[in-house]
Amino acid sequence: MIEATSTAQTASASKYLQQLCKHFAHKVPANWDALKGEVTFPFGLCRMEANETCLTIRCESDEEQHMERMKGVIDNHLERFAWRENLKLDWRTAEQGTVSAE
């Protein structure tokens, strides 16, 4: 499993979380409230959390290609929704479940 996380510093985190989830819900399953959201894309799972100062986005996928697609979709939509703030996501990626042979 591959996991990628990003945080956007913004006072409008809750607004963007709800806007993203509502938009994605037109095509894929999504659940959200003012502080948390979850979107199930065909290529992975995206969880979002908002507080007064930032929006945190965590994505999980089983393939690198799917992860890149998910990050691209989220980047594209957040940049359009938050164009006044010029928000850019800086993704950090980690692979989970890797076993070291010692």
Side-chain angles (χ1 to χ4, degrees):
M1 184 66 62
I2 302 165
E3 182 178 293
T5 304
S6 186
T7 302
Q9 300 297 319
T10 176
S12 300
S14 177
K15 171 187 160 185
Y16 296 138
L17 179 151
Q18 293 177 74
Q19 196 171 11
L20 286 165
C21 289
K22 184 174 182 178
H23 178 79
F24 293 140
H26 291 288
K27 294 194 176 196
V28 297
N31 297 299
W32 70 93
D33 59 29
L35 299 177
K36 291 185 179 185
E38 184 173 286
V39 181
T40 306
F41 292 103
F43 36 84
L45 178 65
C46 175
R47 291 185 178 101
M48 297 176 241
E49 293 182 21
N51 63 34
E52 299 81 25
T53 60
C54 68
L55 173 63
T56 301
I57 303 172
R58 289 184 181 86
C59 298
E60 297 176 5
S61 184
D62 56 358
E63 293 183 29
E64 185 63 36
Q65 179 181 356
H66 291 162
M67 178 60 73
E68 291 305 314
R69 183 172 179 197
M70 187 165 25
K71 291 188 311 188
V73 167
I74 294 166
D75 284 340
N76 180 277
H77 285 83
L78 184 60
E79 286 176 20
R80 283 192 280 150
F81 295 154
W83 63 272
R84 286 182 183 93
E85 293 186 61
N86 196 26
L87 289 181
K88 301 282 184 201
L89 296 174
D90 181 25
W91 293 96
R92 296 172 307 283
T93 305
E95 287 198 32
Q96 299 177 334
T98 55
V99 178
S100 63
E102 292 187 39

